[in-house]
Amino acid sequence: MSDAVTGDEMMTIIAFSGDLDKMWPTTILASTAAANGMDVTVFATFWGLFPLVRDGEKIGHDAMTKMLAGMNPPGFTKSKLSKMNMAGMGRSMMRKVAAKSNLMPPEDLFEMCLDMGVKVWPCQMTMDLLGIRADQMLPGLGEPAGAATALARMSKSEINLFI
Amino acid sequence: MSDAVTGDEMMTIIAFSGDLDKMWPTTILASTAAANGMDVTVFATFWGLFPLVRDGEKIGHDAMTKMLAGMNPPGFTKSKLSKMNMAGMGRSMMRKVAAKSNLMPPEDLFEMCLDMGVKVWPCQMTMDLLGIRADQMLPGLGEPAGAATALARMSKSEINLFI
Amino acid sequence: MSDAVTGDEMMTIIAFSGDLDKMWPTTILASTAAANGMDVTVFATFWGLFPLVRDGEKIGHDAMTKMLAGMNPPGFTKSKLSKMNMAGMGRSMMRKVAAKSNLMPPEDLFEMCLDMGVKVWPCQMTMDLLGIRADQMLPGLGEPAGAATALARMSKSEINLFI
């Protein structure tokens, strides 16, 4: 095996979790793959859609979805650790640890992904479910897509990951 | 790249978590893939086996496994969210949000998967470990299988996901 | 489809979580695949690096990373369940359930993986981030690697899983 990406490979990541610590592998793998010439798609679904909402946007189309958004505030900077969150203490500490080690925060890595041509497809069904409009999401995303479109892409991809 | 599944592809999902919110991507991806002609297998293992136990079945072969089942009740309708469960409040709200948005509950999507020919293989090792008998599980499942069988299937599949 | 691994396939697992219950699928799939002749690599990153630290090692290069390690003690035997941990009760019970069912503990399965030729690559970036030195990790691991190396390997692998 040669230890190099040849450049015509495809990678598709299903970004499901939205947790701060899982946004790192998603954005690091996506940007590194794109930097090596791979054709990369991130299909953002369920909790994974929350970080992609612009800061300060109020999402939800009724009382229940608004309450859900209240408990799980949208925006990259609001995302929590999957464990040890401890009322935000773990999150804040993890961000400081990362900064000290010159690891970019996920929101900057995400912007770099977009700059490098990574396609980010928000899941249409989740948007309908949670009451998120396209204009409430970060700029630079692709058209909302469904599971069939994501599956078609994955069936052509050398690397598929559910994160 | 053509944006279509050609119909002779295979997908294998390792359903590990059993959480309510993760049963949605598992069943949505599996049923959508099958509807597009893909050959789909779900290998249900560890916590992922709990939703597949019939409602009301008592599982466990000794005091410890019975206690484990008591803390993590089997059956689709008992499955919890991976976060924000808040003593069942998040789960119940998420189910209501889904119903309002015409998103089928996972147990109905699961039945649809079986109707559409998705193969569901319960993990033999987990059944032995947790004391779950084949006759305690939902009808329509495939024969219990081991890791080697799942790996053989995955090595032939265009899409492999660990959920 | 023939139900057999032909022996020249590759599998790459990104071991991200480090939770006790997720070390089982990682080590069971890796050792079973290797036993069937597959070429297997485990890229251990983020929380997934903690179990690979030798028992008793003090990790962390400053107050914050030391505190992080204090909250998430390194070493296989310290790893917790992803749910129902209940101050260690669930973990201890799950280990007893496994022992009674003759399921090897993950640390023994991990040693078996190494014996069978599974390559384990610690993530260089995580080591820098969390202050873990190569000499603090279990013997038998491969050279620390980065995301580009892991991606090159994954682009050649029939099976890629994020666990």
Side-chain angles (χ1 to χ4, degrees):
Chain A
M1 186 205 71
S2 155
D3 251 4
V5 173
T6 60
D8 50 1
E9 284 102 347
M10 290 170 62
M11 175 167 76
T12 304
I13 294 177
I14 304 186
F16 170 87
S17 99
D19 293 325
L20 170 64
D21 45 341
K22 291 198 175 166
M23 295 310 294
W24 266 306
T26 297
T27 53
I28 291 171
L29 289 170
S31 58
T32 307
N36 282 280
M38 292 184 75
D39 180 358
V40 183
T41 307
V42 175
F43 180 65
T45 187
F46 226 84
W47 312 111
L49 221 50
F50 283 90
L52 308 188
V53 174
R54 290 171 198 258
D55 262 340
E57 288 288 343
K58 300 274 176 234
I59 65 171
H61 45 52
D62 60 11
M64 277 191 302
T65 47
K66 278 171 190 161
M67 189 169 161
L68 209 60
M71 296 186 298
N72 193 48
F76 254 108
T77 56
K78 304 290 193 310
S79 62
K80 297 169 187 165
L81 288 179
S82 64
K83 49 173 131 182
M84 302 201 307
N85 201 58
M86 300 170 300
M89 208 271 272
R91 165 180 61 179
S92 146
M93 196 184 339
M94 186 57 81
R95 282 186 171 271
K96 278 183 196 139
V97 166
K100 234 181 137 172
S101 180
N102 295 319
L103 171 63
M104 288 167 79
E107 56 272 23
D108 293 359
L109 281 163
F110 184 75
E111 228 180 280
M112 202 169 81
C113 285
L114 293 179
D115 288 347
M116 298 182 72
V118 171
K119 285 175 272 294
V120 180
W121 295 349
C123 170
Q124 180 70 65
M125 194 209 70
T126 310
M127 293 171 65
D128 297 343
L129 182 71
L130 300 176
I132 303 174
R133 298 188 317 270
D135 67 272
Q136 296 184 303
M137 301 185 68
L138 295 175
L141 307 192
E143 292 292 306
T149 309
L151 282 164
R153 188 96 194 157
M154 284 194 277
S155 73
K156 310 280 181 296
S157 299
E158 277 76 13
I159 309 177
N160 292 303
L161 301 171
F162 183 95
I163 297 186
Chain B
M1 187 205 71
S2 156
D3 250 4
V5 173
T6 59
D8 50 1
E9 284 103 347
M10 287 169 64
M11 176 167 76
T12 304
I13 295 176
I14 304 187
F16 172 86
S17 98
D19 292 326
L20 171 64
D21 46 341
K22 293 200 174 163
M23 293 311 293
W24 265 307
T26 298
T27 53
I28 290 171
L29 290 169
S31 57
T32 307
N36 282 279
M38 292 185 74
D39 181 358
V40 184
T41 307
V42 175
F43 180 63
T45 188
F46 226 83
W47 312 111
L49 220 51
F50 283 90
L52 308 188
V53 173
R54 291 170 198 254
D55 263 340
E57 287 288 342
K58 301 273 176 237
I59 65 171
H61 45 52
D62 58 12
M64 277 190 304
T65 48
K66 278 171 190 162
M67 189 170 163
L68 209 61
M71 297 184 299
N72 192 48
F76 253 108
T77 57
K78 305 289 194 310
S79 63
K80 296 169 187 164
L81 288 178
S82 64
K83 49 174 134 183
M84 302 202 307
N85 201 59
M86 299 170 300
M89 208 271 271
R91 165 180 60 179
S92 144
M93 198 185 337
M94 186 56 80
R95 282 187 170 270
K96 279 183 194 136
V97 166
K100 233 180 138 174
S101 179
N102 294 320
L103 170 63
M104 287 166 79
E107 57 271 24
D108 293 359
L109 281 163
F110 184 75
E111 226 179 281
M112 201 167 82
C113 285
L114 293 180
D115 287 348
M116 298 181 71
V118 172
K119 285 175 270 295
V120 180
W121 295 348
C123 169
Q124 179 72 63
M125 195 210 69
T126 310
M127 293 172 64
D128 296 344
L129 184 70
L130 300 175
I132 303 175
R133 297 189 317 269
D135 66 274
Q136 296 184 302
M137 303 187 67
L138 294 175
L141 307 191
E143 292 292 306
T149 310
L151 282 163
R153 187 96 193 159
M154 285 193 275
S155 72
K156 310 281 181 297
S157 298
E158 277 77 12
I159 309 177
N160 293 303
L161 301 171
F162 184 94
I163 299 186
Chain C
M1 185 204 73
S2 154
D3 250 4
V5 174
T6 59
D8 50 2
E9 285 102 347
M10 287 170 63
M11 175 167 77
T12 304
I13 295 175
I14 304 187
F16 170 87
S17 98
D19 293 325
L20 170 64
D21 45 340
K22 292 200 175 163
M23 294 311 293
W24 265 306
T26 298
T27 52
I28 289 171
L29 289 170
S31 58
T32 307
N36 282 279
M38 293 184 75
D39 181 358
V40 183
T41 307
V42 174
F43 180 64
T45 188
F46 227 82
W47 312 111
L49 221 50
F50 283 89
L52 307 189
V53 174
R54 292 171 198 254
D55 263 340
E57 287 288 342
K58 301 275 177 233
I59 66 172
H61 44 53
D62 59 11
M64 278 191 302
T65 48
K66 279 172 189 161
M67 188 169 162
L68 209 61
M71 296 186 298
N72 193 48
F76 253 110
T77 55
K78 304 291 194 307
S79 62
K80 296 169 187 166
L81 288 179
S82 64
K83 50 173 131 183
M84 302 201 308
N85 201 58
M86 299 170 301
M89 208 271 273
R91 166 181 59 180
S92 144
M93 198 184 339
M94 186 57 80
R95 281 186 171 270
K96 279 185 194 136
V97 166
K100 233 181 136 173
S101 180
N102 295 319
L103 171 62
M104 287 165 81
E107 57 272 23
D108 292 359
L109 281 162
F110 183 75
E111 227 180 280
M112 201 167 81
C113 285
L114 293 179
D115 287 347
M116 298 181 71
V118 171
K119 285 175 271 294
V120 180
W121 295 349
C123 169
Q124 180 71 63
M125 195 210 69
T126 310
M127 292 171 64
D128 296 344
L129 183 70
L130 300 175
I132 302 175
R133 298 190 316 271
D135 66 273
Q136 297 183 301
M137 302 186 66
L138 294 176
L141 307 192
E143 292 292 306
T149 309
L151 282 164
R153 187 96 194 159
M154 284 192 277
S155 73
K156 310 281 182 297
S157 299
E158 278 76 11
I159 308 177
N160 293 303
L161 301 171
F162 184 94
I163 298 186

